[in-house]
Amino acid sequence: MQEIQELTDEQKLMIAIGRDEHVFKQFFLRNFVVLKDYAFSIVRDDLQAEDIASEVLWRTWNLGDRFIEVKSISAYLYRATKNSCLNQLRNKVIQYEPVSSHKDNLIDDLSPETLLLSNERMQEIEGAINQLSPKTKEAFLLVKDYQLTYKEAGESMGISPKTVDRHIQLALKKLYFLLKEKK
């Protein structure tokens, strides 16, 4: 089995600070198959595994200068991939039935009304996240969007993992009440 290829400090700087797309593309291509195979071992769906691997690598690019702070690229990528897989399974996004059995529902699910409602709900969620205090918002996004561990998020923010945990608790509580009001 192949393994994640670590980057040199120079390559990390070229991606994080220099935003060198060529270096990132090489990094992406070298590690995509490894992450896809790892994701497949969890979700057992080839297309979903490809999506997860691509998304994890794309989030890595979006870390920007915070990418420098990642100590172990392989540990970060494996953890992010595992978390993405588990989130997909938990949210029941992965369907184990053939798509053909859902083809009538797919057309209904993509109706303009459904798309509009889902877009409106996403705007409500984003608005609620924007109402969080800056530190709480940062902790929430690092943990939930970038799927960093509390320890990694704490290191990035210069605070303890316990403080990150407290920020996440506050964020979830506030988001729950803000979004509950809008229902």
Side-chain angles (χ1 to χ4, degrees):
M1 183 174 141
Q2 292 179 311
E3 292 183 9
I4 298 291
Q5 293 185 6
E6 293 288 338
L7 293 169
T8 64
D9 288 339
E10 182 182 341
Q11 289 171 319
K12 280 173 73 173
L13 283 171
M14 291 172 73
I15 291 172
I17 305 297
R19 307 305 287 160
D20 190 319
E21 292 179 14
H22 176 72
V23 174
F24 181 76
K25 181 178 180 183
Q26 296 306 312
F27 168 72
F28 184 102
L29 293 173
R30 281 193 312 261
N31 294 303
F32 175 78
V33 173
V34 178
L35 291 179
K36 180 185 74 96
D37 291 345
Y38 179 60
F40 181 81
S41 73
I42 298 170
V43 299
R44 300 290 181 200
D45 180 284
D46 200 44
L47 292 175
Q48 193 69 36
E50 285 181 11
D51 287 346
I52 289 169
S54 293
E55 182 63 29
V56 166
L57 288 163
W58 179 246
R59 281 197 311 263
T60 303
W61 171 257
N62 286 329
L63 283 173
D65 59 356
R66 289 178 291 170
F67 186 60
I68 296 170
E69 298 166 12
V70 176
K71 304 263 187 280
S72 170
I73 300 295
S74 61
Y76 172 81
L77 290 175
Y78 281 126
R79 167 82 50 124
T81 301
K82 179 181 176 185
N83 289 343
S84 290
C85 290
L86 294 176
N87 285 338
Q88 293 294 325
L89 291 171
R90 189 177 313 116
N91 295 327
K92 297 180 182 180
V93 172
I94 299 172
Q95 299 293 326
Y96 292 100
E97 299 174 41
V99 173
S100 60
S101 68
H102 296 289
K103 69 180 176 187
D104 295 332
N105 293 340
L106 287 175
I107 294 170
D108 292 339
D109 289 346
L110 297 176
S111 69
E113 294 83 13
T114 304
L115 291 173
L116 180 62
L117 289 174
S118 111
N119 188 32
E120 288 173 359
R121 189 66 176 159
M122 286 304 298
Q123 288 175 350
E124 288 174 6
I125 292 169
E126 288 173 10
I129 291 171
N130 287 331
Q131 290 182 38
L132 299 173
S133 70
K135 279 281 193 191
T136 301
K137 178 181 175 183
E138 181 180 5
F140 181 79
L141 292 175
L142 286 174
V143 171
K144 299 300 181 183
D145 275 0
Y146 295 111
Q147 297 185 335
L148 269 62
T149 63
Y150 287 11
K151 182 180 178 187
E152 292 167 335
E155 288 172 0
S156 173
M157 296 174 67
I159 58 178
S160 75
K162 291 245 182 222
T163 306
V164 172
D165 180 48
R166 183 66 185 137
H167 280 298
I168 298 300
Q169 290 175 18
L170 291 170
L172 292 174
K173 190 179 213 180
K174 184 164 185 169
L175 291 172
Y176 173 77
F177 286 110
L178 288 171
L179 295 170
K180 185 178 176 186
E181 291 173 0
K182 299 211 179 209
K183 254 189 166 178

